[in-house]
Amino acid sequence: MRQYQDQEKRVLIKVVCNGCGRELQLENGIVQEGVFPGRVNWGYFSRYDGERHAFDLCEACYERLIGSFRIPVETEEETELL
Ligand SMILES: [Zn+2]
């Protein structure tokens, strides 16, 4: 869950993990730890058709989530780190 200072969502002031409710470390609008930004625009074949969902997960909650998968996530090494 993200809170912004302005309506245009330019200045991020708070990021809270939707899974555990912990506030993530933020410095000058930049998250200082691992965060999974879940964003989806549900389409026609979904019962959520027309809805946009958003949530954020801290690394621990992300690990819990992917740990429940029957098939592991696909992992690749990033050659260029930003
Ligand atoms: Zn969490």
Side-chain angles (χ1 to χ4, degrees):
M1 183 273 288
R2 295 178 179 228
Q3 274 181 12
Y4 293 87
Q5 195 175 57
D6 52 332
Q7 288 219 316
E8 293 78 36
K9 297 185 172 182
R10 280 179 300 199
V11 183
L12 190 60
I13 53 169
K14 196 177 188 180
V15 180
V16 176
C17 173
N18 286 69
C20 65
R22 184 172 68 80
E23 188 172 341
L24 276 62
Q25 285 283 331
L26 200 67
E27 208 175 287
N28 299 319
I30 296 166
V31 185
Q32 302 294 308
E33 56 183 294
V35 59
F36 175 79
R39 307 282 183 268
V40 63
N41 297 328
W42 291 104
Y44 187 73
F45 298 105
S46 165
R47 69 186 182 96
Y48 300 118
D49 183 26
E51 291 182 20
R52 184 182 310 157
H53 291 188
F55 63 88
D56 292 281
L57 292 179
C58 71
E59 240 176 281
C61 288
Y62 175 78
E63 280 177 18
R64 249 195 313 279
L65 173 71
I66 67 173
S68 71
F69 289 177
R70 194 168 284 192
I71 298 166
V73 297
E74 292 164 34
T75 307
E76 275 178 43
E77 291 291 324
E78 282 211 70
T79 49
E80 253 179 74
L81 293 175
L82 299 175

